[in-house]
Amino acid sequence: MEIHPDIERVLVTPEQIQARVSELAQQIDHDYAAVDRLYIVGILKGAFIFLADLTRQLRIPHVVDFMALSSYGRTTTSGAVRILMDLREPVEGQHVLVVEDIVDTGHTLDYLLHILNNRKPASLRTCVLVRKERQNNGVKVDYLGFEIPDVWVVGYGLDYADRFRTLPYVAELKRQVYSK
Ligand code: PRP
């Protein structure tokens, strides 16, 4: 596999990702077997690749919708999260599964769950590709792909300044790229 020159090391290979995505899809199929319409909420931009692969492996009936959020001051707990684009439907009474690319501090997902819970869904769960091994706020992740080291990661939806999202693996970025 050709590795981008700005990459320090690959943390999760494309093969590992695809195998885990299949397992997650099977688990979700199993857990929602009795649900006639799962409302899947992808969080833009980062989740779009994970979401595309995951949903194409699901066998249960589902619909896909998106929210776009922007976070400020990620390093502070007071950082606000703004909704840039909201869902097309009210989610009251619906079974909602949020799909995210990463939990870092957990702030974004925590805020989002708070918003969605207020809309009174029938159920609300989360599916996250990677979670950093660091202190976070203990936000609930029901389906997790991988735990990864607390380094700057890109690929498979994750970006640095909107670059590297379409790399087929999750990888650590070289320090010189983000400390320029
Ligand atoms: C990233 C990621 C999560 C959030 C995680 O979004 O997609 O939404 O940060 O960080 P946290 O756990 O510390 O809150 P970002 O704001 O970079 O937007 P993007 O998905 O459009 O790249």
Side-chain angles (χ1 to χ4, degrees), residues 109-120:
L109 192 57
D110 190 54
Y111 178 86
L112 180 67
L113 290 179
H114 182 72
I115 292 174
L116 293 179
N117 251 322
N118 284 341
R119 299 181 184 181
K120 305 201 172 2

Side-chain angles (χ1 to χ4, degrees), residues 44-46 71 74 100-102 104-108 159 165:
L44 297 173
K45 298 178 185 175
S71 51
R74 178 124 23 106
E100 252 289 30
D101 54 347
I102 186 167
D104 189 343
T105 64
H107 185 65
T108 306
D159 73 307
R165 284 195 204 275

Side-chain angles (χ1 to χ4, degrees), residues 146-165:
F146 303 92
E147 297 271 6
I148 57 163
D150 185 10
V151 294
W152 197 302
V153 284
V154 295
Y156 201 70
L158 295 154
D159 73 307
Y160 168 65
D162 261 329
R163 297 171 59 205
F164 310 109
R165 284 195 204 275

